[in-house]
Amino acid sequence: MAKKVLTEQEKLQQEKVEERVSAVDQFFKENGKYIWGCVIALLVIWAAILCYQRFYLQPKRAEAAAQMFPAENNFSAGNYDLALNGDGNVLGFAQVIEDYGKKAGASAYLYAGICELQLGNYENALNYLKKYNGKDEILGARALGCQGDALVGLERLGEAVACYDKAAAKADNIFAASYLLKAGVACEEMGNAPKALTYYKKIKDQYPQSMEGYDIDKYISRIENAQ
């Protein structure tokens, strides 16, 4: 009896399997052209993306890097106007960005932003620096710190302090002390000495070996003696 029941269950299971197989087979028969069309379309898209990256994007990036090389040399030499605008013979960062856009790489925006900052063009500096999206944390912190410098130049001190805060948090190393010091100075300029004191004490406690840490006691003393 038990064998008979088992056999019937097996038959039912076999029938269900056959029904499913039949349904799948029927689905492919009815929709085979559509399915193969989708597969071919995906392969074509994949091939197009691969060709775009290999034969257009990569050469353009290499070309942009070559065009940026003279500008980088001028930047290193402190020739910020030449580095930014070029001289008719070589391109500056501004023209490289205009010609190549994001294919020039994130560093082009950082370079251009720092050049504008050094030339006192604070709004232009902000426009470039906000577009920097590199993955290097130290350079990312520098971009934020430079945004803070530009905002100080525009007398938007509250926004500047926020940028310095973000820069210090992003570069949680010896470079952070410089951003904290700038934040403290900006707070003092806004008349918020207690807030400035918190930044200075953070430098003393967390970054005593930094260049800013060696001189931080005079900043702390000035505020404490004035209270």
Side-chain angles (χ1 to χ4, degrees), residues 1-10:
M1 185 66 179
K3 276 189 176 181
K4 186 176 180 181
V5 172
L6 185 60
T7 302
E8 289 177 354
Q9 288 178 344
E10 289 174 348

Side-chain angles (χ1 to χ4, degrees), residues 66-226:
Q67 293 284 11
M68 275 211 328
F69 185 70
E72 290 173 340
N73 285 337
N74 289 323
F75 181 91
S76 298
N79 297 323
Y80 298 111
D81 184 71
L82 187 58
L84 179 66
N85 299 308
D87 61 1
N89 296 314
V90 296
L91 299 183
F93 294 118
Q95 190 64 49
V96 170
I97 291 171
E98 184 175 338
D99 290 351
Y100 297 95
K102 292 182 179 179
K103 293 184 285 293
S107 62
Y109 293 95
L110 181 59
Y111 279 126
I114 294 174
C115 287
E116 292 282 22
L117 179 64
Q118 292 293 329
L119 295 170
N121 304 321
Y122 302 123
E123 287 288 1
N124 291 341
L126 282 175
N127 289 335
Y128 281 124
L129 293 167
K130 287 179 179 179
K131 293 176 183 176
Y132 175 78
N133 61 353
K135 296 180 179 179
D136 186 285
E137 290 189 352
I138 292 176
L139 292 181
R142 187 176 183 188
L144 287 166
C146 287
Q147 285 184 48
D149 294 343
L151 289 163
V152 168
L154 293 169
E155 299 183 354
R156 291 155 59 181
L157 299 180
E159 294 175 66
V161 170
C163 282
Y164 293 139
D165 259 332
K166 291 177 183 177
K170 196 173 185 69
D172 188 17
N173 51 40
I174 199 167
F175 294 106
S178 64
Y179 304 126
L180 294 172
L181 181 62
K182 288 181 176 182
V185 171
C187 285
E188 282 198 82
E189 290 183 16
M190 289 190 294
N192 192 346
K195 182 66 174 176
L197 189 59
T198 64
Y199 286 114
Y200 299 150
K201 286 187 174 180
K202 188 172 183 179
I203 294 171
K204 183 177 178 65
D205 294 339
Q206 297 185 17
Y207 308 101
Q209 300 304 314
S210 65
M211 290 182 62
E212 293 76 13
Y214 288 122
D215 288 333
I216 202 63
D217 282 335
K218 68 181 182 183
Y219 292 87
I220 295 172
S221 298
R222 184 178 65 243
I223 293 177
E224 290 183 336
N225 291 336

